[in-house]
Amino acid sequence: QKEVEQNSGPLSVPEGAIASLNCTYSDRGSQSFFWYRQYSGKSPELIMSIYSNGDKEDGRFTAQLNKASQYVSLLIRDSQPSDSATYLCAVNRPAGTALIFGKGTTLSVSS
Amino acid sequence: GAGVSQSPSNKVTEKGKDVELRCDPISGHTALYWYRQSLGQGLEFLIYFQGNSAPDKSGLPSDRFSAERTGGSVSTLTIQRTQQEDSAVYLCASSDRQGDYGYTFGSGTRLTVV
C-alpha cells in the first residue's frame, strides 16, 4: 500500500462550486497533515495544515481530518479558475523526519 | 534570504557527467530537505538535514547521489555519472523546525540529462 494516496483526477468543477479533494494515508502514527498547491511549472506552496481530528477553516479552504479512517480532505468553496492546479497531500513520517507526498489531484475550474 | 533560493534554475548535462545543485534556505531555518519530481510524478524524498547533519538520507536512490550542508545554511546535492533517469526537477525546501509545521520550497532546478 502506498503511504499517501490521492485520486489523480482531473477533477473538473464549474466556477462557484465546491471542490472536494481526498487523501488517505497508511501510517496510523502520522500526526501532521498538509495540503500544498502546485501550479504547472511552479513549486508547491503550503495552503493548509491540520493536526487534530475535525475541520479547520481558512478563508475558502477547509481541511478535514479523520485519524480513525486515516483520511484527510480539502474543500474549496466558491471555486475560481485561479484555483486550477494540482493539489498535493503531505503527511509526516512518525519514524522519520520528512513529509511524504501523494502524487496529487489535478483540479480544473471552468468559468 | 527572503525565500529558498536554488541554482541553477536549469541544467542540461551529458550522460556520465557530474552535476552540483545548490540550495540556499531561508535564513534561520535549521531543517533542509531535498526532493525530486519527475514529469507527472509526485515528490520523491531524497534527504533531510538538521543543521549540518543528515539524520535521514533514506531517499537517495543510489550511491551516485550525495549531499552536504555547511554552516547550517547552504546545501549542495551532487549527482555523479548522471544517467537519463536522473532527469527531473530537484526541489529544496526548508523549515524552522522538524517540518511538522510545513515547508517552504524553492523554485527548483530542472535537470536534463542528454
Side-chain angles (χ1 to χ4, degrees), chain B residues 1-104:
Chain B
V4 179
S5 177
Q6 291 187 247
S7 61
S9 55
N10 279 285
K11 177 72 176 179
V12 180
T13 190
E14 292 181 352
K15 178 181 172 181
K17 300 283 190 184
D18 297 352
V19 295
E20 285 189 351
L21 312 180
R22 177 188 166 102
C23 174
D24 196 349
I26 292 172
S27 179
H29 279 193
T30 57
L32 185 148
Y33 308 82
W34 284 98
Y35 287 79
R36 73 176 176 181
Q37 188 172 35
S38 303
L39 190 62
Q41 299 298 309
L43 273 72
E44 176 188 3
F45 167 71
L46 298 177
I47 188 169
Y48 154 67
F49 286 94
Q50 181 62 40
N52 291 335
S53 64
D56 187 353
K57 52 179 80 171
S58 62
L60 294 177
S62 75
D63 58 8
R64 295 187 297 105
F65 288 72
S66 63
E68 65 174 10
R69 188 180 185 193
T70 56
S73 181
V74 172
S75 175
T76 302
L77 176 68
T78 302
I79 309 173
Q80 295 179 311
R81 304 181 302 282
T82 51
Q83 303 295 312
Q84 287 187 329
E85 61 262 29
D86 299 335
S87 297
V89 176
Y90 288 80
L91 290 161
C92 175
S94 70
S95 69
D96 61 358
R97 48 180 87 191
Q98 195 169 299
D100 287 355
Y101 295 84
Y103 310 156
T104 300

Side-chain angles (χ1 to χ4, degrees), chain A residues 32-34 36 38 41-46 49 51 88 92-94 96-104, chain B residues 33 35 37 40-43 45 48 55-56 58-59 91 98-108 110:
Chain A
S32 306
F33 307 88
F34 305 88
Y36 283 78
Q38 186 173 27
K42 301 295 185 182
S43 56
E45 60 176 322
L46 179 64
S49 60
Y51 306 98
L88 304 171
N92 80 312
R93 267 201 225 156
T97 50
L99 295 181
I100 300 303
F101 286 80
K103 290 190 175 183
Chain B
Y33 308 82
Y35 287 79
Q37 188 172 35
Q41 299 298 309
L43 273 72
F45 167 71
Y48 154 67
D56 187 353
S58 62
L91 290 161
Q98 195 169 299
D100 287 355
Y101 295 84
Y103 310 156
T104 300
F105 281 90
S107 55
R110 181 175 298 278

